[in-house]
Amino acid sequence: MATTPSANNRKFLGRLSLPERNFVAEALRTETVGGVLLLIAAVAALVWANTPLRDSYASVSHFHLGPSALGLNLSVQHWAADGLLAVFFFVAGIELKRELVAGDLRDPKAAILPVVAAVCGMAVPALVYALTNAIGGGSLGGWAVPTATDIAFALAVLAVIGTSLPSALRAFLLTLAVVDDLFAILIIAIFFTDHIDFGALGGAVVGLGVFWVLLRKGVRGWYVYVPLALVIWGLMYNSGVHATISGVAMGLMLRCHPHEGEEHSPGEHIEHLVRPLSAGLAVPLFALFSAGVVVSGGAIGDVFTRPETLGVVLGLVVGKAVGIFGGTWLAARFTRASLSEDLVWPDVFAVASLAGIGFTVSLLIGELAFKNDLVLTDEVKAAVLIGSLIAAVLATTLLKVRNAKYRALYEAEELDEDSDGIPDIYEQNNPAYHLRMAEIHERKAAEHRRLAEVAGGASEENDGPA
């Protein structure tokens, strides 16, 4: 039997379902605020490290605190990278779990596009870095630095430039970042673990098992889970595996689909509580103590001449854009998915360029990749900052060209003439909606007629005999 074209083709970047739209809007709102704070923290770090106060920056960053007996006497910078970022990865774990059970990744056919785009968006930057260093005779150790996307920073750029990006493009960017975070976690776990203490690792695994059992038994209370999470984190840190892995593992264990009678699942509820802590405190503090590199004219010039740093810049600016766009285009072509009629392929390239903003996780991987060379670590951090800035400027230019079209799409998505809290575009097939709208329009017409009659009467009085 012949198949109709509509059965063969799926829409890519079409309108989201109403529940998905509402979730994405809330998540991105928090991330946007967090991204602005992240931007402020990064600027503050650069100012602090490049003024006469630079010595105090180094003193605070390298100040040690914590119990030595537990192997946790760490510097402030170390606490920020291993401790606070565990909160960030905990939220990333919940996001990933939700995408797998309720979001775009639950349907294998729909998941192909963002997954392929994210994988290509990590593989191509790594390849660009490797080629740059193979030709220039540099170190291949930093291949993973340009592979990460910072969703909060990307959304902060959108907030600053005032681009009304449609929800479908924002959701695509968010899904890309979620898959990106998953692979970044795997990269950290596999490639940046020097030694393993199997006793501590076994203890962390047992703790995760207890965490899972308590969740399945329905045990509630932060006073149960927070101390247990701290123990798991401490054991994971002492095992040699990066401590942030414990965060994503616990996030993945939370139930993210509501049971009957539940308005929100436990995962969604906890994410709603923890996301502001992650976006508003954990990530900005990490940026404050990681982005403070000394920047001078000579240092900026070195970024474009040293293969390791040039590879990071090219990976973020060129590799990310080409990888994500190319992967998306190929996946759409081979899965017969057609782009939404409201968008064009340059829109996808603009979002791919925006994904070249790789800040938080790129800085973390840079610290891990070159931890034995402090000078190169700082130079790679400067390369991350410069590459992210160039990607932001490029994306801003591309997005501004189409901003009028985006604004029209965004306003159509948000229009709610009957003021029932549901955008009109989601009610077009609802007979009750059309009845309400007919009543609203009739009331408006009656009001206009009344005003016209009043104006007409006033005009007759003015035109009467003196």
Side-chain angles (χ1 to χ4, degrees):
M1 184 175 68
T3 306
T4 62
S6 60
N8 277 334
N9 295 321
R10 292 183 298 104
K11 285 293 181 188
F12 168 54
L13 294 178
R15 189 167 69 242
L16 303 176
S17 67
L18 184 59
E20 186 70 7
R21 171 196 171 277
N22 292 339
F23 174 83
V24 168
E26 182 181 354
L28 295 183
R29 193 177 301 114
T30 305
E31 290 289 357
T32 300
V33 174
V36 173
L37 293 175
L38 176 62
L39 185 60
I40 293 171
V43 172
L46 287 170
V47 171
W48 194 359
N50 288 275
T51 63
L53 297 173
R54 66 174 64 91
D55 291 338
S56 66
Y57 180 82
S59 298
V60 173
S61 297
H62 299 132
F63 180 77
H64 280 63
L65 68 160
S68 300
L70 298 178
L72 297 174
N73 184 237
L74 312 177
S75 67
V76 170
Q77 184 178 15
H78 210 159
W79 275 111
D82 288 76
L84 292 177
L85 278 195
V87 179
F88 166 80
F89 279 110
F90 175 69
V91 173
I94 300 175
E95 287 177 338
L96 177 61
K97 179 68 172 289
R98 188 199 161 277
E99 287 289 334
L100 291 170
V101 302
D104 288 346
L105 301 182
R106 72 185 185 281
D107 178 6
K109 290 182 180 179
I112 289 175
L113 278 163
V115 170
V116 170
V119 170
C120 291
M122 299 187 81
V124 176
L127 181 61
V128 168
Y129 177 93
L131 288 174
T132 304
N133 281 270
I135 294 171
S139 168
L140 297 178
W143 63 270
V145 176
T147 60
T149 294
D150 195 307
I151 183 66
F153 221 141
L155 293 171
V157 170
L158 291 179
V160 170
I161 66 176
T163 299
S164 304
L165 210 61
S167 60
L169 282 174
R170 290 176 183 263
F172 179 60
L173 183 61
L174 180 61
T175 304
L176 275 177
V178 169
V179 180
D180 193 296
D181 285 341
L182 169 64
F183 285 104
I185 290 159
L186 293 176
I187 287 171
I188 291 170
I190 296 170
F191 296 100
F192 296 103
T193 299
D194 296 331
H195 68 280
I196 296 180
D197 182 329
F198 287 100
L201 182 60
V205 171
V206 170
L208 288 170
V210 173
F211 190 88
W212 184 84
V213 170
L214 291 174
L215 289 173
R216 293 300 171 271
K217 293 292 184 180
V219 176
R220 298 189 177 188
W222 65 268
Y223 46 83
V224 174
Y225 291 101
V226 171
L228 178 59
L230 291 174
V231 170
I232 294 170
W233 175 87
L235 288 168
M236 188 69 76
Y237 175 82
N238 281 289
S239 74
V241 178
H242 202 271
T244 53
I245 305 300
S246 62
V248 74
M250 286 183 276
L252 285 168
M253 290 181 180
L254 293 174
R255 176 167 58 83
C256 290
H257 57 277
H259 284 168
E260 187 176 350
E262 288 182 338
E263 184 177 357
H264 300 289
S265 67
E268 289 175 317
H269 177 66
I270 292 172
E271 181 184 14
H272 180 74
L273 295 175
V274 179
R275 184 188 286 275
L277 176 64
S278 169
L281 181 66
V283 175
L285 281 178
F286 167 76
L288 181 64
F289 293 109
S290 292
V293 294
V294 177
V295 178
S296 64
I300 293 174
D302 290 343
V303 165
F304 295 97
T305 56
R306 184 161 184 166
E308 291 89 351
T309 50
L310 180 61
V312 169
V313 173
L314 292 178
L316 289 171
V317 177
V318 179
K320 272 290 183 182
V322 172
I324 291 174
F325 178 80
T328 304
W329 187 84
L330 288 172
R333 182 177 178 84
F334 285 105
T335 59
R336 298 179 179 179
S338 58
L339 189 66
S340 169
E341 58 273 7
D342 293 326
L343 300 170
V344 293
W345 281 105
D347 296 324
V348 180
F349 187 81
V351 172
S353 300
L354 191 63
I357 300 173
F359 189 74
T360 306
V361 180
S362 289
L363 290 176
L364 175 62
I365 294 177
E367 291 179 357
L368 296 173
F370 299 108
K371 62 184 179 182
N372 295 323
D373 188 338
L374 296 180
V375 173
L376 185 53
T377 298
D378 280 350
E379 291 177 346
V380 166
K381 286 182 179 181
V384 170
L385 296 173
I386 292 171
S388 297
L389 178 61
I390 295 173
V393 172
L394 174 62
T396 297
T397 304
L398 295 174
L399 291 171
K400 278 294 186 182
V401 171
R402 292 267 292 166
N403 199 38
K405 176 67 174 177
Y406 296 152
R407 187 180 296 111
L409 292 173
Y410 181 80
E411 289 173 353
E413 289 179 359
E414 297 297 315
L415 185 64
D416 183 17
E417 283 195 295
D418 58 347
S419 302
D420 65 347
I422 301 174
D424 296 342
I425 201 168
Y426 288 94
E427 298 186 289
Q428 291 175 346
N429 297 322
N430 185 352
Y433 163 75
H434 290 289
L435 181 60
R436 288 198 307 273
M437 291 307 300
E439 294 173 350
I440 291 171
H441 291 155
E442 177 57 34
R443 286 199 301 270
K444 288 182 177 179
E447 181 66 16
H448 288 156
R449 287 195 297 271
R450 188 185 68 79
L451 292 174
E453 290 172 359
V454 171
S459 176
E460 289 178 5
E461 290 179 6
N462 292 333
D463 293 339

